[in-house]
Amino acid sequence: MNELSGAALPSQTLVDLGAALGSDVPFFLSNGSAYCTSRGEVLHEVGCVPLASSPSPVFIVKPDPGLSTARIFKALDLSNLSPADPDQLLSRFVAGTQTPDDYLNDLETASFAALPLLHDLKRRLQQLFAVVLMSGSGTSFFCLEPRAPALLQDDIKSALHGFPVGVRTYSAHFINRPADAWYQGAPGTAG
């Protein structure tokens, strides 16, 4: 927005404007590592967590069907929320001492009930990765810590052979940026 308007709006103003567009938008205006609360629009920068500097790729796995976020939140059983303390979890991520059990998403149960094939997809992916977690209310998963070195997208496709719906996979890396600077592309790519 700053580039398009020629103005230099402060980061917080951009975050506030982004929140008016959608709950997840402020995260994409963060420095890359942030703890988001409320609907996702309240942003707490946490600096570069050790996980974000890992050379291992992050795999995003997206089945073709989607889910309505409103439907999943209506189906959410508040009595089944994780008892884990978010502040303690965050401190482990910042210190780099998190375990696979520290990755939580209370919306998974409601999403799996709405679209049971998501649970099967997660089980298949857990054969390849130590961490498999649905992103938000679904239906994409992010996968970390490959169980085999040099895991490739073809390995994922092979593991998903015969899955009843189409599934797309993407390889990505964490990125962080300095405050008040925009993300730069990797060397040799467009920024």
Side-chain angles (χ1 to χ4, degrees), residues 16 42 113 129-130 137 142 173:
D16 294 341
V42 179
F129 297 93
S137 59
F142 66 89
H173 284 85

Side-chain angles (χ1 to χ4, degrees), residues 115-162:
L115 191 58
L117 64 82
L118 291 175
H119 198 219
D120 181 38
L121 178 58
K122 181 171 182 168
R123 282 193 300 263
R124 289 178 185 225
L125 292 169
Q126 285 173 321
Q127 301 303 309
L128 302 172
F129 297 93
V131 174
V132 176
L133 197 67
M134 196 175 62
S135 177
S137 59
T139 58
S140 63
F141 289 87
F142 66 89
C143 308
L144 306 171
E145 300 179 29
R147 296 190 187 277
L151 183 79
L152 301 172
Q153 286 187 6
D154 287 343
D155 298 318
I156 298 171
K157 289 176 184 172
S158 178
L160 298 177
H161 180 73

Side-chain angles (χ1 to χ4, degrees), residues 73-188:
F73 273 92
K74 285 179 187 170
L76 180 64
D77 181 353
L78 296 177
S79 68
N80 286 332
L81 297 180
S82 169
D85 179 340
D87 291 326
Q88 289 179 0
L89 292 173
L90 179 60
S91 68
R92 288 198 289 271
F93 280 94
V94 170
T97 59
Q98 76 279 3
T99 68
D101 291 336
D102 289 334
Y103 292 83
L104 305 171
N105 182 344
D106 288 319
L107 299 177
E108 278 191 349
T109 302
S111 295
F112 292 170
L115 191 58
L117 64 82
L118 291 175
H119 198 219
D120 181 38
L121 178 58
K122 181 171 182 168
R123 282 193 300 263
R124 289 178 185 225
L125 292 169
Q126 285 173 321
Q127 301 303 309
L128 302 172
F129 297 93
V131 174
V132 176
L133 197 67
M134 196 175 62
S135 177
S137 59
T139 58
S140 63
F141 289 87
F142 66 89
C143 308
L144 306 171
E145 300 179 29
R147 296 190 187 277
L151 183 79
L152 301 172
Q153 286 187 6
D154 287 343
D155 298 318
I156 298 171
K157 289 176 184 172
S158 178
L160 298 177
H161 180 73
F163 196 69
V165 299
V167 178
R168 291 171 287 183
T169 62
Y170 307 91
S171 176
H173 284 85
F174 287 99
I175 57 173
N176 285 285
R177 67 179 176 90
D180 297 320
W182 197 238
Y183 294 103
Q184 301 296 311

